Amino acid sequence: MHSCLILLTLWSYFGDCTQPYFPRQVVFSSDGGLIVAIDEINQRAYQTLNYTSTEQHTSFVMQHFPYAVPDSPQSKYYVQLLLRTPPSLGCQYGTYWKYGEQNFNDFPVHWWVTESSFEIKNYINFHFGMIHSKNTSSIDEDYWYSNETCMLEDKEILPCEEIYFKKNTEIPLRSTVVVRYGMQVIQEITNYKIISIGKPDEKYFDLIPKNWSVVCQDANLGIIYNPEAVTIDSNRSSDIHISLTAPPHRINGNDTVRIRWKVTQCKTCFKWIPEQLYFNSKNFQTTQILTIIRIKNGPLAKMFPIFKGGGFDSISTDDYSIIIT
Ligand SMILES: *[C@@H]1O[C@H](CO)[C@@H](O)[C@H](O)[C@H]1NC(C)=O
Ligand SMILES: *[C@@H]1O[C@H](CO)[C@@H](O)[C@H](O)[C@H]1NC(C)=O
Ligand SMILES: *[C@@H]1O[C@H](CO)[C@@H](O)[C@H](O)[C@H]1NC(C)=O
Ligand SMILES: *[C@@H]1O[C@H](CO)[C@@H](O)[C@H](O)[C@H]1NC(C)=O
Ligand SMILES: *[C@@H]1O[C@H](CO)[C@@H](O)[C@H](O)[C@H]1NC(C)=O
Ligand SMILES: *[C@@H]1O[C@H](CO)[C@@H](O)[C@H](O)[C@H]1NC(C)=O
């Protein structure tokens, strides 16, 4: 901690002394073209990443997400938005609230506390106590290592976690962690290049499209089937219990989604009752029964939902097929 005192007196413009943690407001790049902007104080973060050679992912997470529909859950809870490039790949968002179990997260896993709660914390989450090395042989770097060691595949023993800073600053240079991939145990090194310390430039957050709540898919919306697959003999029927994972959106005062179905193979093999189901923000968790009747034998078939209203129109129907054999 001695070096931190020097930092505070001589280099106070660097802000709080944060070693062995990241600065609370920071923009940095990392391996593979990852760029991250974190503003822990205002609870917002951005990152962009070349997901594949042709696909780029840009994500935002915020406590108060801009352009949310007033009074919607998105206006009250943390929201994460993922934009894919090229734009034809679509975009999606999720809300961290009691119906958020189907959510996704592109940011550090320790930020997603429980299914319904999210918090923008430090980029780094050490699992062990960290020790500041007294070794003064490095004049350029501060070195921290975990108080526990891990054994690699080749029996080499290393600290489980390490982090290096530019000497007497809060500028992280690289960190290491010992990870297991199946049978393999290796030390993974991540390099960092600080772009700025202090409140991140607004330009990162200005990339959020104003119409995201209308054009992007709500990852929280989905159907629960019980069972998801059925075997039905000829002239027999089977019941599927159906409910929704989250309340449909209220759009122009209407919070109802209508679900119809289509069968892809053997269109004349089945009929079902009722022809359509309606769910709204009050009854979405109450199961309704779809009865499927086989009138003719045939190959394996899939029933796909067709949605209308409630924000479900952009949901991928492929994810919610009923398999019938
Ligand atoms: C990521 O992709 C963009 C757009 O294709 C490209 O301009 C950029 O150089 C790539 N960055 C890295 C680190 O590969
Ligand atoms: C490492 O540090 C943690 C947190 O300070 C402590 O709980 C733990 O007992 C320490 N382990 C060893 C082996 O010293
Ligand atoms: C101190 O650091 C030097 C250079 O990084 C290293 O060779 C040496 O083993 C270290 N000594 C201790 C006691 O960690
Ligand atoms: C949403 O906004 C983007 C850019 O801001 C625009 O290109 C797109 O056409 C808009 N989509 C709709 C459906 O309004
Ligand atoms: C199913 O019912 C139809 C009409 O009642 C009958 O003609 C047919 O033989 C029945 N098929 C089987 C396999 O029971
Ligand atoms: C509300 O939306 C549902 C589903 O699109 C539709 O069937 C219904 O007619 C709508 N109700 C009103 C009052 O517009």
Side-chain angles (χ1 to χ4, degrees), residues 95-143:
T95 311
Y96 298 94
W97 65 322
K98 60 185 165 179
Y99 305 117
E101 77 262 27
Q102 297 210 114
N103 227 334
F104 63 96
N105 176 29
D106 290 334
F107 291 91
V109 289
H110 65 282
W111 290 8
W112 192 0
V113 185
T114 67
E115 127 193 339
S116 59
S117 78
F118 198 94
E119 193 187 335
I120 292 155
K121 300 182 185 172
N122 206 268
Y123 189 67
I124 290 274
N125 180 39
F126 295 112
H127 295 90
F128 305 103
M130 296 299 284
I131 300 164
H132 192 175
S133 171
K134 300 274 187 295
N135 189 344
T136 50
S137 57
S138 170
I139 51 163
D140 301 328
E141 296 183 351
D142 281 316
Y143 167 59

Side-chain angles (χ1 to χ4, degrees), residues 36-51:
V36 183
I38 298 171
D39 187 347
E40 203 182 318
I41 292 166
N42 297 298
Q43 286 294 296
R44 52 188 198 159
Y46 154 95
Q47 81 169 34
T48 189
L49 158 81
N50 287 358
Y51 191 68

Side-chain angles (χ1 to χ4, degrees), residues 2 30 47 51 71 76 78 133 200 234 243 259 276 282 293:
H2 175 65
S30 185
Q47 81 169 34
Y51 191 68
D71 293 328
K76 298 180 187 131
Y78 280 80
S133 171
S234 196
S243 60
I259 311 176
Q276 55 211 3
K282 294 214 171 58
I293 305 140

